[in-house]
Amino acid sequence: MADFIYPNAQRIAGVDEVGRGPLVGAVVTAAVILDPANPIIGLADSKKLSEKRRLALYDEIKEKALAWSLGRAEPEEIDQLNILHATMLAMQRAVAGLPVTPDFVLIDGNRCPALAMPSQAVVKGDSLVQEISAASIIAKVTRDREMAELDLLFPEYGFAQHKGYPTALHMEKLTQFGATPHHRRSFAPVRNALIDADVLTARQPTTL
């Protein structure tokens, strides 16, 4: 991770999100301030790590980091605000939840939410900045676990398998069973499934 030039600051928080693309569940963000005295070896973009490695790093980050925090925006907020603004809100919540206030915040992506301290967006930051890599791991493990819990409540949808993303399996189940209360109704595939379900209901003969 030598390509990135760090800002001149003492306590730097990295922020990343998981779950902008799925049709179901919250968008989950994490903010992490690493401890220079407690280095963590092997931090990388969470998507490029095996699940076993990700889980090991998740525990190590929580143990060794100077501070970490989660933020989220629920499906209702995503539908109300749109996914971009909901993600920015979730990032603000993650930074606000840190027990140690950072001097500077590095955000994965190409834009920053409004924050009380200086910040910088870093494209591909989860591969370039250790703090953002750590945040991506915390956020992904958290959201994946939430999808596993949702899978227990709605086993017919296969959430543990596709994590809510619009895979062929998810689309098939959405058409077959309709939307759960946890689906994002503003997303086109969910909206279309709801419209189809309404049309089907309207076609049913009423019984006296």
Side-chain angles (χ1 to χ4, degrees), residues 1-2 6 12 14 32-36 38-50 53-66 124-139 141:
M1 298 199 183
Y6 275 81
I12 295 172
V32 177
I33 303 175
L34 295 175
D35 183 355
N38 261 320
I40 300 169
I41 307 302
L43 289 172
D45 175 4
S46 63
K47 296 184 290 295
K48 295 176 181 171
L49 297 166
S50 69
R53 186 74 188 115
R54 206 161 45 228
L55 291 171
L57 283 167
Y58 172 86
D59 290 335
E60 193 176 353
I61 293 161
K62 289 176 75 174
E63 182 189 327
K64 290 184 174 178
L66 206 59
K124 296 186 179 173
D126 45 12
S127 299
L128 297 171
V129 179
Q130 287 202 326
E131 289 81 357
I132 296 177
S133 297
S136 79
I137 292 164
I138 294 288
V141 171

Side-chain angles (χ1 to χ4, degrees), residues 25-27 71-87 89-90 93 183-184 186-187:
V27 59
R72 56 195 296 116
E74 302 299 339
E76 298 81 8
E77 293 176 305
I78 294 168
D79 291 339
Q80 186 180 356
L81 298 170
N82 79 37
I83 187 61
L84 173 63
H85 288 100
T87 302
L89 177 62
R93 288 169 172 167
H183 274 91
R184 303 171 181 178
S186 58
F187 280 41

Side-chain angles (χ1 to χ4, degrees), residues 14 47 57 65 89 93 105 108 125 146 156 185 192:
K47 296 184 290 295
L57 283 167
L89 177 62
R93 288 169 172 167
V105 179
D108 184 56
E146 290 181 8
E156 65 273 21
R185 275 140 174 77
N192 293 340

